[in-house]
Amino acid sequence: MIVLGYRFEPKLWVILVTAVSVIIFIELGKWQLSRADEKNARHELLEQYAKQPAVTLPNTLARLEDFQYREVEVQGEFLSEHTIFLDNKTHRGHAGYHVITPLKVLNSALLVVINRGWVSTGYDRSVLPRVNEINGVVKVTGLVAAPELRTFKLSEVVTAGKVWNDFNLQRYQEEIGQEIQPLMVLQKNNVEDGLIRDWDRPESGAAKNLGYAVQWFLLATTAIIIFLVLNVKRKNTKV
């Protein structure tokens, strides 16, 4: 095909490769946009829940999706003997642990995992920091989160006694030998245990997906431009 003195005669395989690449790049961009929409919707839900009063966590088995991001309150007794320390957690640039203790729900056989807050590792990591035990029935108020926590790992060792590199609810339940609610409560109320409860308010994270979407769409545009540049040539003319 010749237009305005330029010849455009790409080979069939070049057309197919370019078309497939452009379609893939566009679909990946659209997928990133859908992920951004999902995160924005989740963040809006979190903002909505933040304005609502705390709800009581039931003493029967609950579902994470019914309570995630909501502020709840639950009464029971801490089982301090099952406290673990989640490693590699920082607060204002200082190394420390998140202290996780199960709470036996009042009038129930169920336990619920309470992330009680942050404590510094101190100068000697071979010695665990002292955390005040809370005895008797207490009321805990906090934000419900997914119970699976991942942290930066300094080694492949998952547990070392009471120090864990990441938290796995199934493994924790097997160690304790009692049924646990399928969620975690990030404690907010103060119970005079010396722990710092300064939970970061999560952003939606949609901006990152929007950035990825732009990159995929730019790749699709670049593929088209390269296709045209390499296949559009000036027609030879005789002098």
Side-chain angles (χ1 to χ4, degrees):
M1 181 175 64
I2 299 176
V3 179
L4 298 177
Y6 288 89
R7 185 174 68 251
F8 182 63
E9 297 177 347
K11 295 181 180 179
L12 180 59
W13 70 267
V14 175
I15 296 174
L16 292 175
V17 169
T18 303
V20 170
S21 298
V22 170
I23 291 173
I24 290 175
F25 294 152
I26 290 175
E27 289 301 317
L28 286 172
K30 289 165 62 179
W31 177 70
Q32 288 293 344
L33 288 179
S34 68
R35 292 284 294 136
D37 289 340
E38 290 175 8
K39 290 183 177 181
N40 280 329
R42 183 179 62 190
H43 192 258
E44 289 175 5
L45 186 63
L46 189 151
E47 292 291 326
Q48 178 183 342
Y49 285 157
K51 300 174 184 177
Q52 297 177 358
V55 298
T56 301
L57 196 65
N59 56 10
T60 56
L61 206 60
R63 298 193 312 165
L64 172 64
E65 52 267 35
D66 291 338
F67 292 91
Q68 192 167 14
Y69 312 125
R70 300 203 65 167
E71 188 168 309
V72 299
E73 59 181 29
V74 57
Q75 293 189 68
E77 295 185 61
F78 281 118
L79 303 182
S80 298
E81 66 272 21
H82 295 299
T83 294
I84 63 171
F85 296 80
L86 188 64
D87 204 355
N88 307 312
K89 292 294 185 179
T90 59
H91 176 70
R92 296 182 179 179
H94 298 287
Y97 305 101
H98 276 181
V99 179
I100 295 177
T101 304
L103 182 83
K104 186 180 184 303
V105 180
L106 192 64
N107 300 322
S108 174
L110 285 173
L111 306 181
V112 59
V113 177
I114 309 294
N115 190 333
R116 297 167 57 192
W118 181 90
V119 64
S120 173
T121 57
Y123 295 105
D124 186 357
R125 286 182 60 90
S126 65
V127 179
L128 288 175
R130 180 176 177 80
V131 177
N132 294 336
E133 293 187 5
I134 304 299
N135 298 314
V137 176
V138 295
K139 177 186 287 187
V140 174
T141 303
L143 189 69
V144 171
E148 308 301 322
L149 298 178
R150 293 287 182 267
T151 62
F152 172 72
K153 294 184 180 181
L154 297 176
S155 71
E156 292 303 316
V157 178
V158 175
T159 64
K162 286 187 171 292
V163 178
W164 291 30
N165 276 336
D166 59 53
F167 182 80
N168 180 280
L169 183 66
Q170 182 63 36
R171 187 173 71 245
Y172 193 50
Q173 183 169 266
E174 290 173 356
E175 289 212 1
I176 296 177
Q178 290 181 249
E179 192 169 22
I180 303 178
Q181 290 277 25
L183 48 82
M184 174 181 285
V185 176
L186 307 180
Q187 184 177 350
K188 295 176 66 177
N189 63 310
N190 186 16
V191 290
E192 303 299 330
D193 54 10
L195 299 175
I196 296 175
R197 286 174 274 273
D198 185 17
W199 307 113
D200 292 330
R201 191 175 186 83
E203 299 294 333
S204 70
K208 181 182 294 185
N209 295 95
L210 291 174
Y212 290 151
V214 170
Q215 291 178 12
W216 286 120
F217 291 141
L218 286 175
L219 281 173
T221 303
T222 301
I224 294 173
I225 292 173
I226 292 175
F227 171 74
L228 294 175
V229 169
L230 294 181
N231 290 281
V232 174
K233 299 179 182 179
R234 182 178 294 274
K235 180 179 179 294
N236 293 330
T237 58
K238 294 181 180 180
V239 180

